[in-house]
Amino acid sequence: GMGIRIKEGSNAKMGTATLVGGTVVVSTPAVGANSRIQLTGQNLGTITVPAAYAVSARTAGTSFTILSSNALDTSSVAWVILDPA
């Protein structure tokens, strides 16, 4: 069929963010203290070798921070929030 569809936009569980200097803060009230946040690079931006991404901080109900292993990274990173049952 049509696969899984997840809402993007305000109060989203999925979206994209562009790194600036290897980091970006994603504002969304959808993030919880126990949320699992999946990250996938969408392009290489200013780097030529793919970097590793991690969630380096989070504030439940407010935001989370994506950090690249390359401090010069300006890649676009897709993210999706999953919550344990």
Side-chain angles (χ1 to χ4, degrees):
M2 296 175 46
I4 298 171
R5 292 175 174 239
I6 301 171
K7 181 182 185 287
E8 290 186 318
S10 299
N11 304 320
K13 290 284 211 177
M14 182 173 80
T16 59
T18 301
L19 299 166
V20 176
T23 188
V24 63
V25 175
V26 177
S27 296
T28 178
V31 67
N34 296 314
S35 294
R36 309 307 193 247
I37 303 169
Q38 307 295 312
L39 306 172
T40 308
Q42 299 299 293
N43 65 44
L44 292 179
T46 56
I47 61 175
T48 57
V49 176
Y53 304 113
V55 174
S56 63
R58 83 177 71 205
T59 302
T62 303
S63 65
F64 63 93
T65 302
I66 301 171
L67 180 65
S68 171
S69 61
N70 186 323
L72 302 177
D73 198 345
T74 61
S75 299
S76 175
V77 179
W79 54 270
V80 63
I81 299 171
L82 305 171
D83 292 301

